Amino acid sequence: MAQDPKRRRRTGWLIGSGVAVVVLAGGYAGAAALLGGQVPAGTEVHGIQIGGLSSDDAAARLEEELRPAAERPLELTAGGGSTTLEPARAGLGLDIPATLAGQTGFSLDPQVLWHRLTGGGAVDPVLTVDEDALRSALESAAAQLDREPEEGSITFEEARPVVVEPVPGSSVDVDAAVAAVSGSWFDTAAPLALPAGETQPLVPAASYATVLQDAAEPLVAGPVTVAAGDLTAELAPEVLADAASFGVDGTTITLELDNDALAGAVLEANPALASTAKAARIVLDGGSPAVVPSVPGRGIDTDGLAAKVLEAAGTAERTATVELKVTQPELTTAAAEKLGVKEIVTEFSTPYPTYDSVRTKNLVAGARRLNGVVVMPGETFSLQRALGPITTANGYFESGVVENGFSSTAVGGGLSQISTQMFNVGFLAGMDDVEHQPHSRWFDRYPAGREATLWEGMIDMKWRNNTDHAVMIQAWVGDSRVYTRLWGTKTWTVRTTTSDHYNLTDPTTTYNEAENCVPESGGQKGFTVAVTRERSSAAKTLPKETLTWTYRPWNKVVCGKKP
């Protein structure tokens, strides 16, 4: 069948139009693909130009130039202090892919294409915040930045009250700091001030002003007189200030006075106010202990003295009235008798060289100072304290000693024998060995390993009375021997054993260039020895203890330089 020519022309036109549409559509898509392959011209992120770059190149540039800004440590300040914060550790980050999202990639959206065709602009970097991590980091920072308030103080300088004002502290508000850092952390060069609140001292400044005016200044406005009957004692402002201290109760400051210090100051100002009571004494009577009874007396009643003085300081008269009362001594007759100084606990003696009369004088002087000394339960006996000071003015003489392994002379030479005596009575009585040091060379008048030297200011001999009873020392010199005895109540059963001498060393010849050199012939070997002590009582057995000591040989000493 033949077709209508008009209809045939129309069909051809439609086919042509379809081709045109396809061509146009293909061009649009091609343009979209072209524009989507690069960041729009003129685009910048935080001042960094990325327009015209591919997505990968733009990301690389931001990694290189923008990432350091996101990783720079932040300086945080608060309360006058500062610290740093590492962004990555605090959950703060820069998301570069998210920042570039939409800047490239295929799109047929006319608006997107128009934007890419006409050029981009400033793009904000996409920042990430992990609030939990940030809060944790800021809590750690706050621990460094928080400043505790400084409490004030009030003291006396001589007789002048001085106040140091309290200073408020500061505390970081972590909740507000999380919000502040989240919004302003990126690329900040200046220190970031964290929100912080002021914390107040426990005691406000007003409390110091009150105690200064109402108590401290009146206390030292003049002397306070303490009166007991016809007797008086005056306490100067300096004395009152020395006895004063300040206590805090809540927000209130109170002025307090040391009752014992004031009592001592009163007695020093007027000794007639002191108690006339006499303490019981334990003495040697006819060679054995006896108790001299105590005697009651009369003296100032110091109970509540501090309160009375403080009250008097606030009056015009400034006089504190106290009573005189019957007083008892610190050690009564009954208490002295309960100390149990009644029997010989142990005794010990050693011979002394009779050819050195000066040395013997030192032994007599030392024994005299020890005779009658009472060591109370729990008290530590110190030989230096009992004998000292070891001076010629105190009755001692210069005699032979061993110094640095050589014979020499010194004031108090020979007192090491007294030290050996006291070490042994303590050791054999079961007392605790606190401090002792044997001689460097052995003198055969002493038991090896069970002797002690003495050097004032350097080497002491101490033992502790570990019994429930007092012990009294009896010491004397006679019949070419030094004797020492302890009186008390026997508590410990003591057993000692001494080893044979071992590790023997031969003497040699040594040279001494000292001006006061004493030549020696030498000859005695050196050795090591061990002494073991066992102690038991009705109540317990103590661990076995062993003392080991090595003595030097008695070398031949030649005065002068070695040839």
Side-chain angles (χ1 to χ4, degrees):
M1 177 186 293
Q3 294 182 348
D4 186 332
K6 293 181 180 179
R7 185 174 182 183
R8 186 169 57 247
R9 285 197 301 272
R10 184 178 180 187
T11 301
W13 182 86
L14 288 174
I15 293 173
S17 296
V19 171
V21 170
V22 170
V23 170
L24 290 174
Y28 184 83
L34 179 64
L35 292 173
Q38 61 185 26
V39 177
T43 301
E44 63 176 43
V45 179
H46 204 65
I48 299 172
Q49 297 292 331
I50 60 174
L53 299 178
S54 68
S55 178
D56 289 344
D57 289 344
R61 178 170 291 183
L62 293 181
E63 283 289 349
E64 180 181 356
E65 299 184 23
L66 187 60
R67 178 70 68 186
E71 295 178 345
R72 184 182 299 120
L74 304 176
E75 182 179 358
L76 306 178
T77 63
S82 67
T83 187
T84 57
L85 189 73
E86 297 289 340
R89 293 184 179 181
L92 302 173
L94 167 65
D95 190 338
I96 289 178
T99 301
L100 293 174
Q103 299 300 318
T104 59
F106 183 78
S107 176
L108 293 176
D109 186 333
Q111 291 184 345
V112 172
L113 294 177
W114 178 254
H115 169 73
R116 292 176 178 177
L117 185 62
T118 59
V123 175
D124 292 329
V126 175
L127 306 176
T128 60
V129 177
D130 182 336
E131 285 203 6
D132 290 340
L134 178 59
R135 180 177 299 277
S136 178
L138 288 176
E139 286 173 349
S140 297
Q144 301 178 51
L145 296 173
D146 286 351
R147 181 168 50 83
E148 294 293 328
E150 297 177 16
E151 298 296 331
S153 67
I154 179 168
T155 57
F156 284 101
E157 291 183 1
E158 295 182 349
R160 182 174 64 89
V162 176
V163 173
V164 175
E165 295 286 346
V167 178
S170 65
S171 177
V172 172
D173 184 338
V174 175
D175 289 337
V178 169
V181 173
S182 296
S184 57
W185 70 273
F186 180 69
D187 194 28
T188 176
L192 185 58
L194 299 182
E198 192 172 76
T199 55
Q200 297 300 321
L202 296 176
V203 182
S207 295
Y208 292 96
T210 298
V211 75
L212 177 68
Q213 178 179 330
D214 296 348
E217 290 177 340
L219 177 68
V220 292
V224 170
T225 299
V226 176
D230 296 333
L231 300 174
T232 61
E234 187 174 273
L235 302 178
E238 292 78 8
V239 173
L240 298 171
D242 286 343
S245 62
F246 297 89
V248 177
D249 181 11
T251 60
T252 303
I253 306 171
T254 57
L255 172 60
E256 301 168 354
L257 296 178
D258 186 323
N259 201 85
D260 291 341
L262 288 178
V266 167
L267 299 182
E268 184 177 351
N270 188 351
L273 291 167
S275 171
T276 57
K278 296 181 179 179
R281 293 179 297 124
I282 303 173
V283 299
L284 285 169
D285 184 10
S288 60
V291 174
V292 176
S294 61
V295 179
R298 189 171 181 82
I300 184 175
D301 184 359
T302 59
D303 290 343
L305 176 62
K308 293 176 181 179
V309 169
L310 191 58
E311 182 181 359
T315 66
E317 295 79 11
R318 299 184 69 82
T319 298
T321 302
V322 297
E323 302 293 330
L324 291 172
K325 67 174 184 177
V326 175
T327 56
Q328 296 295 332
E330 290 186 8
L331 184 63
T332 64
T333 303
E337 290 172 344
K338 288 181 179 179
L339 289 174
V341 182
K342 62 183 181 180
E343 60 184 346
I344 296 174
V345 175
T346 191
E347 51 191 345
F348 181 77
S349 71
T350 52
Y352 64 84
T354 57
Y355 57 81
D356 190 341
S357 60
V358 176
R359 183 181 186 279
T360 304
K361 289 181 181 179
N362 285 332
L363 296 177
V364 172
R368 185 183 300 119
R369 284 184 172 271
L370 292 175
N371 211 29
V373 170
V374 175
V375 184
M376 301 296 282
E379 183 181 356
T380 295
F381 170 78
S382 163
L383 185 59
Q384 280 199 27
R385 186 168 61 243
L387 298 183
I390 301 174
T391 61
T392 55
N394 216 14
Y396 296 104
F397 301 87
E398 186 171 290
S399 186
V401 297
V402 176
E403 183 177 3
N404 299 323
F406 295 108
S407 293
S408 184
T409 58
V411 174
L415 289 178
S416 285
Q417 186 158 3
I418 297 293
S419 183
T420 292
Q421 292 289 128
M422 289 307 302
F423 170 75
N424 273 275
V425 291
F427 194 73
L428 297 174
M431 303 303 177
D432 293 337
D433 177 22
V434 175
E435 178 184 346
H436 88 284
Q437 180 176 309
H439 289 81
S440 58
R441 305 186 305 193
W442 181 50
F443 296 87
D444 59 9
R445 58 178 171 267
Y446 307 141
R450 224 179 66 200
E451 46 86 23
T453 186
L454 181 73
W455 198 273
E456 188 173 31
M458 297 176 63
I459 303 173
D460 199 358
M461 196 295 305
K462 298 179 181 179
W463 47 254
R464 186 180 71 86
N465 180 1
N466 56 15
T467 74
D468 295 331
H469 307 281
V471 292
M472 186 174 68
I473 301 168
Q474 184 180 8
W476 71 97
V477 177
D479 301 326
S480 302
R481 298 184 74 85
V482 182
Y483 296 89
T484 309
R485 180 180 291 159
L486 282 189
W487 293 86
T489 297
K490 190 172 179 63
T491 300
W492 298 103
T493 298
V494 178
R495 179 175 178 270
T496 65
T497 55
T498 302
S499 73
D500 293 333
H501 300 179
Y502 60 98
N503 291 342
L504 302 182
T505 54
D506 293 325
T508 61
T509 299
T510 59
Y511 296 84
N512 184 1
E513 299 180 36
E515 186 176 341
N516 59 346
C517 169
V518 177
E520 300 179 56
S521 59
Q524 185 171 285
K525 290 178 179 289
F527 60 91
T528 299
V529 66
V531 176
T532 300
R533 178 172 69 161
E534 299 174 74
R535 293 177 288 175
S536 61
S537 69
K540 59 183 175 180
T541 297
L542 296 180
K544 183 186 299 186
E545 55 186 338
T546 298
L547 305 175
T548 302
W549 187 256
T550 298
Y551 292 101
R552 300 177 185 175
W554 284 69
N555 297 319
K556 179 180 178 179
V557 177
V558 177
C559 294
K561 292 183 179 180
K562 184 176 181 179

